Amino acid sequence: MTFWIIQLLNGISFGMLLFLLAAGLSLIYGLMRILNLAHGSYYLIGGYVGLTVVRLTDSFVLAALAAPIAVALLGVVMERFFLRRFPNQELPQVLLTFGFLFIFADLALWIWGGNPQTLPKPEIFSSSIWIGGLVFPSYRLFVIATGIVIGIGLWWLQEKTRLGAMIRAGVDDEEMARGVGVNVSLLSTAVFGFGAFLAALGGILGGPFVGVYPGADFEVLLLAFVVTIVGGLGSLKGAFVGGLLIGLLDNFGKSLFPEFALFTIFAPMAIILAIRPTGLFGRR
Amino acid sequence: MKTRVFFIGVSASVLLALPLLLSSYQLGLLTKMLIFGLFAMSLDLLVGYTGLPSLGHAAFFGAGAYTVSLLALRVANNFWLDFPAGLVMAAAVSALFGLLALRTHEAYFLMITLALGQVLWGVAFGWRSLTGGDDGLPGVPRPDLGLPWSLSGGVAFYYFVFIFFVLAAAVLWIIVRSPFGNALVGIRQSEARMEVLGYNVWLYKYCAFILSGFFAGLAGNLFAYYNGFVSPTYLSVIFSATALLMVILGGAGTLFGPALGAAIIVYLENEISAYTQRWLLVLGVIYVIVTLCAPDGVVGLLQRWSRSRRS
């Protein structure tokens, strides 16, 4: 019983990290039609910068604020000075973001070295809690709660606020949105920065249990891709449901059939793709 | 047209004569350029002609390379068995992946090809008893044709690769000039229009996908013999992306441009790796510079230059 509960929590908490990544990836694609291959790098840099901040200040909270803000600025620079020159041009976007993926990966290796590292957990979540005779690792519960709060926050932002309405208008019809006075250019930069912010937050939250190491950028990018293939690009709901599904499949796959870990993710992806080529909640 | 024939003739004779002038190290590098050039040309059939930007092309290269290596090491170093098996495997993998990937469009196509390529990488990485995992498969012998001459020497092997390169380039040339190739270009320009004209767009794309995988497998086969060693590196997405860079750097949709792009990247990697550990960083910067400054590739730059000179 304990095994299943722990695995379930591990899967859901990992799913929340994937949701944070896929939400940004999806929003950016939805608004700008940019497929950002450097999105996983934001996760990696977020984790590494967080590590440095924790070492310098001993404060997890400070790290969780500073790293995402720094990475968001990085995202803004990438969007403003590079990516916006290539609207709706897949190939240049792919080359450019791949270039950034390599540059970031190599710089991170240079600065932080090649050894896998983990962020220390915040003090209050360092122990497990007992409920009805069962043990729960409290940090995992914290990650799950954070993921759900951010999910609700994003939903509220997108559905209930003026800003959200502007984003939805931009996603549906950019020209019309421009026509009615939405500053799509500024909005795009903001959304890009926000997507980078979420990915870096994923790096911080994942740091204590997934760790940060060379290649993590690529691993999470791949999983975020699978999440968006399953959930559908441009859909927040898709990112959430897909994230949960892939997080659980990945975790149970790795613990139950370690030799076939990849197939427990890719087989369902292939099936969903065969039935719905645009994902569960994708619109086109 | 005349200048093109002249150009091809000159480059072919230069490539034929070069072994007389080069050191064995330089000749090895040239052999690698031909193999990677073939790989880049095979990807160009998808990217430049059909308009399908694949990020998983290393899968077919690796499928061929691993098949040849495994057969040569574990079964028999018989060229007439191993080589066709590698080609069949590459074509089979692309036939399977194509079924899934061609259900999607645009960004989804990029993501699915990347993800599928990564599955094969995962198999090579994880199935240690068969593939040697991260350590790869060392000691792949040079092919034994069962003929009186040996391919163990650098010059003989260079000509062996050269023959395949010329044959493959000729076949690809015929393919892209044929009505089939014109249909592919039509699909790149407007899928809807080709659909209306009565073309079975899916089937054309599927054939292009398999052909492209087949030629990538041919490059992979040759590379296994050339390198004597295969590892998951040659299935990785970094390798797929490098192929894409070769295509764009040379000039997508020009067939010979990508071969030129491959030669440039192989040369740069060789030169820069000798000076610094930071090849990946340099490669990243090359990606950015090419995208910003030479989106049409070297061939595009040359064409623009010759046009401005004429007018």
Side-chain angles (χ1 to χ4, degrees):
Chain A
M1 187 63 190
T2 313
F3 169 81
W4 291 100
I5 288 176
I6 297 287
Q7 293 303 329
L8 198 66
L9 285 181
N10 288 355
I12 295 173
S13 49
F14 190 51
M16 288 302 149
L17 296 187
L18 295 182
F19 161 63
L20 291 181
L21 276 152
L25 197 70
S26 229
L27 269 178
I28 289 169
Y29 184 81
L31 191 61
M32 284 163 268
R33 293 276 173 270
I34 290 174
L35 187 65
N36 183 14
L37 293 161
H39 205 70
S41 308
Y42 300 152
Y43 174 97
L44 187 79
I45 295 172
Y48 275 133
V49 172
L51 193 72
T52 302
V53 174
V54 166
R55 278 186 188 155
L56 290 177
T57 65
D58 248 353
S59 162
F60 190 85
V61 178
L62 212 57
L65 282 173
I69 290 172
V71 172
L73 287 176
L74 189 69
V76 166
V77 169
M78 269 179 69
E79 199 275 336
R80 273 275 140 173
F81 296 104
F82 295 96
L83 284 166
R84 73 169 32 206
R85 293 158 185 252
F86 303 102
N88 294 314
Q89 297 172 49
E90 278 166 18
L91 270 180
Q93 288 172 8
V94 165
L95 285 185
L96 206 54
T97 53
F98 238 118
F100 279 110
L101 171 71
F102 289 166
I103 292 171
F104 292 148
D106 214 36
L107 284 178
L109 185 67
W110 206 352
I111 299 171
W112 285 283
N115 293 327
Q117 310 188 54
T118 47
L119 252 82
K121 281 176 202 169
E123 205 55 43
I124 37 168
F125 299 115
S126 58
S127 58
S128 299
I129 48 171
W130 293 78
I131 303 172
L134 293 168
V135 190
F136 294 95
S138 59
Y139 185 71
R140 297 278 190 166
L141 292 175
F142 163 70
V143 171
I144 294 171
T146 311
I148 291 173
V149 167
I150 290 173
I152 292 171
L154 284 176
W155 171 81
W156 177 80
L157 190 76
Q158 202 178 24
E159 298 296 326
K160 302 288 174 192
T161 65
R162 195 180 151 74
L163 185 67
M166 278 157 44
I167 293 174
R168 276 181 288 140
V171 170
D172 285 342
D173 192 332
E174 197 200 309
E175 269 180 42
M176 277 302 262
R178 265 185 223 280
V180 296
V182 175
N183 188 342
V184 177
S185 159
L186 188 66
L187 197 64
S188 295
T189 308
V191 167
F192 204 95
F194 186 58
F197 182 93
L198 287 179
L201 194 62
I204 296 280
L205 288 175
F209 64 101
V210 180
V212 273
Y213 48 91
D217 47 353
F218 203 77
E219 266 172 50
V220 294
L221 176 73
L222 183 72
L223 288 173
F225 275 6
V226 177
V227 168
T228 42
I229 291 170
V230 167
L233 269 171
S235 158
L236 211 53
K237 207 197 295 172
F240 194 82
V241 175
L244 272 182
L245 190 67
I246 298 303
L248 285 167
L249 283 171
D250 182 65
N251 204 65
F252 279 102
K254 274 182 183 152
S255 56
L256 296 176
F257 327 97
E259 311 87 48
F260 304 105
L262 274 173
F263 289 93
T264 54
I265 302 169
F266 286 102
M269 179 189 82
I271 294 167
I272 288 171
L273 203 62
I275 302 164
R276 279 187 67 97
T278 52
L280 293 173
F281 302 100
R283 275 180 294 182
R284 24 168 263 145
Chain B
M1 191 64 209
K2 238 179 206 165
T3 53
R4 188 169 287 162
V5 172
F6 175 72
F7 169 75
I8 291 170
V10 167
S11 29
S13 4
V14 167
L15 284 173
L16 265 175
L18 271 175
L20 301 172
L21 307 169
L22 298 179
S23 72
S24 69
Y25 175 77
Q26 290 167 324
L27 191 63
L29 206 59
L30 187 65
T31 314
K32 191 175 177 183
M33 286 175 180
L34 286 185
I35 296 173
F36 283 8
L38 179 55
F39 182 44
M41 281 158 73
S42 76
L43 178 60
D44 193 31
L45 189 63
L46 276 189
V47 176
Y49 289 91
T50 323
L52 293 171
S54 163
L55 274 180
H57 211 55
F60 316 126
F61 184 94
Y66 265 97
T67 306
V68 162
S69 305
L70 278 171
L71 288 174
L73 286 169
R74 307 267 164 89
V75 183
N77 181 22
N78 180 342
F79 173 82
W80 307 104
L81 170 78
D82 304 348
F83 205 80
L87 296 178
V88 168
M89 183 59 93
V93 170
S94 55
L96 183 68
F97 283 8
L99 282 181
L100 286 168
L102 291 177
R103 290 189 57 81
T104 60
H105 294 273
E106 298 165 18
Y108 284 96
F109 181 81
L110 281 165
M111 293 196 293
I112 192 84
T113 47
L114 191 152
L116 289 170
Q118 212 53 19
V119 174
L120 223 54
W121 176 87
V123 172
F125 195 83
W127 195 353
R128 293 196 70 89
S129 58
L130 183 74
T131 62
D134 204 14
D135 303 330
L137 295 168
V140 181
R142 286 278 156 93
D144 180 5
L145 301 186
L147 295 171
W149 55 84
S150 150
L151 292 178
S152 50
V155 176
F157 188 73
Y158 170 79
Y159 284 118
F160 170 76
V161 170
F162 179 75
I163 289 169
F164 276 106
F165 179 84
V166 170
L167 279 178
V171 173
L172 281 168
W173 173 265
I174 292 167
I175 288 174
V176 300
R177 301 282 134 172
S178 70
F180 173 77
N182 291 334
L184 295 184
V185 174
I187 288 169
R188 187 192 69 206
Q189 284 164 352
S190 168
E191 225 170 274
R193 191 172 59 203
M194 295 302 280
E195 201 87 67
V196 170
L197 287 172
Y199 285 87
N200 185 344
V201 168
W202 180 86
L203 192 62
Y204 274 86
K205 289 204 286 193
Y206 191 54
C207 289
F209 199 88
I210 295 175
L211 274 171
S212 161
F214 174 87
F215 284 105
L218 177 61
N221 278 5
L222 294 171
F223 186 73
Y225 286 132
Y226 162 79
N227 207 31
F229 169 69
V230 283
S231 73
T233 310
Y234 300 104
L235 283 166
S236 74
V237 73
I238 291 184
F239 193 48
S240 295
T242 309
L244 202 57
L245 177 67
M246 291 167 178
V247 172
I248 307 295
L249 173 62
T254 61
L255 206 53
F256 293 106
L260 189 64
I264 294 172
I265 294 292
V266 168
Y267 176 76
L268 284 178
E269 175 168 18
N270 188 64
E271 288 293 305
I272 292 168
S273 304
Y275 291 107
T276 165
Q277 295 279 310
R278 305 253 81 90
W279 162 242
L280 208 58
L281 184 66
V282 176
L283 188 64
V285 173
I286 297 175
Y287 275 83
V288 174
I289 292 174
V290 168
T291 317
L292 294 178
C293 305
D296 302 325
V298 175
V299 171
L301 284 179
L302 288 176
Q303 278 169 349
R304 212 180 305 159
W305 175 71
S306 76
R307 222 174 291 140
S308 68
R309 212 182 43 157
R310 226 174 290 154
S311 62

